Amino acid sequence: MEQSHYYRKFSLDPVSFHKRFDLLASTERGTTTTTGGGSRLTPSYSNPDLASSARRTSSTALATATKQPLFVDDFSDHPQLFPHHKASSSFHNNTTTHHGLYPLTSSYANVPFTPYQAAMNPLLVSHLVRQIPSQPPSPGSRKNSMTTTAAYYRPSSSSTTTTTTTNTTLNDPQQLQQQQHDRFAALRVEDVVDEIYGLCKDQYGCRFFQKKLEEQKPDQRDIIFNQIYPHFVELMIDPFGNYLCQKMMEYCTDSQRTMLIEQVSRSIMSISLNMHGTRAVQRMIEFLTLPEQIDATVEALSSNVVTLIKDINGNHIIQKCLHRLTSKDKQFIYDAVSRNCVEVATHRHGCCVLQRCIDYSAEHQKKQLVEEIIRNALTLVQDPYGNYVVQYVLELGDAEFSDNLIRQFIGHLSNLSVQKYSSNVMEKCIRVAEEDVRRDLIEEMINKTQLEKLLKDSYANYVVQTALDFAEEAQYQKLGECIRPLLPAIRNTSYCKRIQGKLNRDQRQEHYFQQQAVHYNASVIVHPLMAHHDMNFASSSSNTNGYHPLSTATTGNAFPYPL
């Protein structure tokens, strides 16, 4: 039992043991500055700072202390410090471990220690000989001590450092970009002929080949073309390869471009519906120059116009054709849209494409589309997207188109005014219509039963307000007579006051004009200076060619005051 206890107590690093007994020397010589001498250094396991305080205290004392080296064999000379030590040759010759602990063998015989004979509390000794790191940190608090100790004992290896360095490199875009730039800096196209297809799908490899095409060297261009031509369709839908395809369309020869277009036309639908491929096809359309190139593209697209228009990516292909092709070459689009007007106009993307068709159309193409829109006006005006197409036709400013379109709604005003989308169109119809057509529209409202329904509706009341703003005097009076008895029924609505204001507007204006006229006439008759001024001008009227002071020829207005 004694030998086992001895093993547990002294199985530690002799270097650390040497440092621990520095405190004994300072205690024996009385070098501690703490009140009470060594008794204040009695260990307390609730104070983790004791060991660090003791080391700091002993470090100063050791500067002047005379050290006496102590070896393992000298443990017997200090029975007060090492009561369990027994000098035995068998101990020194035994190199085996006991319970997994290594004894202090003769291999440590040359390691010096510097303890000093001193009357010491045994608890302090047992505390000091506990093994600690050779260079432990000096914590400032218990919490920091625990954290620092855990960090100190955390294992570190070269693999961890290498991983951290690698992650830092990968997370630094500038450093990664510089590495990739250095990778392709001294590279030639001739050196990577067999790897061109694979490098085209790499971000930096694709940029490398684009720069080579921009140099406009025929030999480099031909090498790249020959390598990517068999895979051109696949590269057009690649996130990086599509950029090289666009650049190739720009810098290749006409014959090479024709070869590419013929290959693309066989898979143009799958490419055009792809988010990357649609950009490459648009670029291809921009560089169509030869008739055979245009014919091949038109033939490939003509049977799928409506499908492309309704697709979020494909609709840009049709818009690019509208913008780049001639009227003759893009006629296939107008024919397809005219045949499927309702399907296209009532679609989220189709309504926008149909408006662009009108913008880029020739006169006969515009007429072709508008006639189809007018023919289906009642259906389109009630649709969330189709109503925008109808309004776009009204905004063209063509009286013939607008007249024919608005007449489609006569007899349906009440039903269309109570709907969310068509009510907006009815307001615009009243604003832009010719007088005779507007008169027919408003006449539908002059019906007490119909008007009450319109006034109580959350959408139709705006149509009534617009009618009050644009109605002729006779119709305005009729509307007012029908609306006034119905005002109590809508007095709790948010728009009642606006309708009342529109009804009372002319009354206020008429009263204002009358007041201004009376005031002006009174000032002319009563004011003596004005009377004298009038007589002077009247006496010389023969010299002023009929001039009269009340004439609008000089004032520019019937009244001298601003209205």
Side-chain angles (χ1 to χ4, degrees):
M1 293 297 294
E2 292 180 349
Q3 187 175 0
S4 175
H5 183 74
Y6 178 87
Y7 275 62
R8 288 195 301 272
K9 180 178 291 294
F10 299 111
S11 296
L12 68 157
D13 184 4
V15 178
S16 301
F17 193 78
H18 169 79
K19 292 186 177 183
R20 285 301 182 179
F21 277 95
D22 289 349
L23 179 62
L24 299 180
S26 59
T27 305
E28 179 186 14
R29 300 173 187 277
T31 56
T32 57
T33 57
T34 309
T35 305
S39 61
R40 292 298 301 272
L41 298 179
T42 301
S44 173
Y45 291 98
S46 63
N47 184 8
D49 296 335
L50 176 61
S52 60
S53 300
R55 285 193 301 274
R56 288 194 297 270
T57 305
S58 62
S59 59
T60 306
L62 287 176
T64 56
T66 302
K67 300 181 181 180
Q68 299 178 358
L70 178 68
F71 295 92
V72 175
D73 294 335
D74 295 331
F75 284 174
S76 59
D77 298 335
H78 300 275
Q80 71 278 18
L81 294 179
F82 309 102
H84 300 286
H85 174 71
K86 294 181 180 180
S88 175
S89 60
S90 62
F91 171 75
H92 295 286
N93 295 329
N94 186 7
T95 58
T96 61
T97 60
H98 184 73
H99 297 289
L101 301 177
Y102 289 91
L104 295 175
T105 63
S106 59
S107 60
Y108 292 94
N110 295 327
V111 180
F113 294 88
T114 56
Y116 290 85
Q117 296 183 1
M120 179 63 64
N121 191 325
L123 292 176
L124 179 60
V125 177
S126 62
H127 174 74
L128 292 177
V129 297
R130 288 184 303 148
Q131 185 176 5
I132 64 171
S134 59
Q135 293 182 354
S138 178
S141 64
R142 183 177 182 85
K143 180 178 180 181
N144 293 338
S145 175
M146 297 173 64
T147 305
T148 306
T149 303
Y152 185 86
Y153 282 108
R154 186 180 297 116
S156 61
S157 62
S158 59
S159 60
T160 304
T161 306
T162 305
T163 304
T164 304
T165 305
T166 304
N167 293 337
T168 304
T169 303
L170 294 177
N171 293 332
D172 188 354
Q174 295 182 352
Q175 186 174 357
L176 180 60
Q177 185 175 1
Q178 184 62 34
Q179 291 179 357
Q180 295 295 338
H181 176 75
D182 297 341
R183 173 188 170 193
F184 291 97
L187 197 65
R188 298 187 308 165
V189 175
E190 294 80 1
D191 298 334
V192 290
V193 173
D194 297 333
E195 301 177 9
I196 290 179
Y197 168 66
L199 291 175
C200 289
K201 296 184 177 182
D202 178 76
Q203 179 180 4
Y204 299 97
C206 179
R207 290 180 180 176
F208 169 74
F209 293 121
Q210 290 181 61
K211 291 180 180 178
K212 292 302 179 182
L213 290 176
E214 291 173 354
E215 294 176 3
Q216 301 186 25
K217 295 181 179 180
D219 54 341
Q220 293 182 350
R221 179 198 61 207
D222 294 340
I223 292 175
I224 298 174
F225 176 85
N226 294 331
Q227 293 298 318
I228 68 174
Y229 173 73
H231 313 281
F232 200 77
V233 172
E234 180 184 354
L235 292 175
M236 288 184 77
I237 61 176
D238 186 78
F240 301 116
N242 77 90
Y243 294 104
L244 180 61
C245 294
Q246 296 180 46
K247 194 68 68 172
M248 178 59 72
M249 284 289 181
E250 181 178 356
Y251 288 101
C252 67
T253 62
D254 287 338
S255 59
Q256 291 174 338
R257 189 177 297 113
T258 302
M259 295 174 59
L260 294 176
I261 291 172
E262 290 177 352
Q263 187 183 38
V264 170
S265 62
R266 292 191 288 267
S267 305
I268 197 167
M269 279 301 297
S270 60
I271 302 173
S272 300
L273 300 180
N274 181 269
M275 63 180 299
H276 305 296
T278 183
R279 299 178 182 274
V281 175
Q282 292 176 59
R283 192 67 169 170
M284 182 187 76
I285 294 173
E286 291 181 359
F287 291 99
L288 297 177
T289 54
L290 301 179
E292 54 267 26
Q293 298 174 0
I294 298 174
D295 293 341
T297 304
V298 170
E299 183 179 357
L301 294 175
S302 57
S303 59
N304 299 284
V305 173
V306 177
T307 303
L308 291 171
I309 286 177
K310 296 168 64 175
D311 186 75
I312 188 173
N313 299 313
N315 75 87
H316 298 288
I317 304 297
I318 301 300
Q319 294 189 52
K320 182 62 70 172
C321 290
L322 291 171
H323 180 63
R324 303 292 299 188
L325 300 182
T326 63
S327 299
K328 179 182 177 181
D329 294 332
K330 62 187 176 185
Q331 180 62 40
F332 73 98
I333 299 176
Y334 291 92
D335 295 337
V337 172
S338 298
R339 289 193 302 266
N340 304 274
C341 180
V342 175
E343 182 181 359
V344 173
T346 56
H347 190 268
R348 178 180 181 180
H349 304 300
C351 68
C352 299
V353 176
L354 184 50
Q355 295 176 49
R356 300 291 79 76
C357 288
I358 296 175
D359 291 339
Y360 293 110
S361 63
E363 194 62 32
H364 69 281
Q365 293 169 337
K366 180 186 296 184
K367 185 176 181 180
Q368 178 184 359
L369 288 180
V370 172
E371 286 178 353
E372 287 297 325
I373 294 171
I374 293 174
R375 189 176 295 113
N376 300 279
L378 279 176
T379 302
L380 299 179
V381 77
Q382 303 176 62
D383 186 78
Y385 302 110
N387 76 90
Y388 292 107
V389 177
V390 176
Q391 293 186 55
Y392 196 77
V393 174
L394 293 174
E395 293 172 353
L396 292 177
D398 191 307
E400 182 182 356
F401 291 157
S402 299
D403 245 16
N404 295 333
L405 180 60
I406 296 173
R407 289 187 185 278
Q408 301 295 317
F409 307 134
I410 295 177
H412 304 279
L413 181 68
S414 298
N415 292 331
L416 297 176
S417 296
V418 297
Q419 298 183 39
K420 179 178 181 180
Y421 306 110
S422 55
S423 62
N424 294 324
V425 182
M426 293 303 101
E427 289 186 64
K428 183 161 291 187
C429 287
I430 294 174
R431 292 191 184 99
V432 305
E434 298 293 330
E435 291 184 2
D436 56 337
V437 180
R438 183 189 296 122
R439 191 181 304 113
D440 294 339
L441 288 174
I442 297 177
E443 192 66 29
E444 290 188 43
M445 298 183 186
I446 305 176
N447 181 301
K448 187 173 182 180
T449 304
Q450 291 289 341
L451 199 55
E452 183 177 6
K453 176 185 175 181
L454 298 178
L455 286 173
K456 292 182 178 180
D457 188 79
S458 58
Y459 301 119
N461 75 86
Y462 292 101
V463 181
V464 176
Q465 295 181 47
T466 305
L468 289 173
D469 290 334
F470 290 89
E472 296 177 348
E473 184 63 28
Q475 283 188 323
Y476 176 84
Q477 296 299 333
K478 291 181 181 180
L479 278 175
E481 292 174 2
C482 294
I483 292 174
R484 287 188 181 90
L486 300 175
L487 289 177
I490 61 171
R491 65 178 180 273
N492 294 327
T493 61
S494 59
Y495 51 83
C496 180
K497 289 185 177 180
R498 290 197 294 270
I499 294 177
Q500 284 180 326
K502 293 178 185 296
L503 292 174
N504 298 330
R505 179 190 58 196
D506 283 0
Q507 294 180 359
R508 292 198 304 269
Q509 288 183 353
E510 183 179 356
H511 179 71
Y512 175 79
F513 291 152
Q514 292 176 354
Q515 291 294 329
Q516 293 296 334
V518 171
H519 175 73
Y520 180 79
N521 293 333
S523 62
V524 170
I525 296 171
V526 175
H527 202 285
L529 294 179
M530 283 296 296
H532 178 70
H533 181 74
D534 291 342
M535 287 187 294
N536 291 338
F537 274 91
S539 61
S540 58
S541 58
S542 58
N543 299 327
T544 57
N545 297 324
Y547 169 81
H548 191 273
L550 296 182
S551 173
T552 58
T554 57
T555 60
N557 198 330
F559 300 99
Y561 304 102
L563 301 180

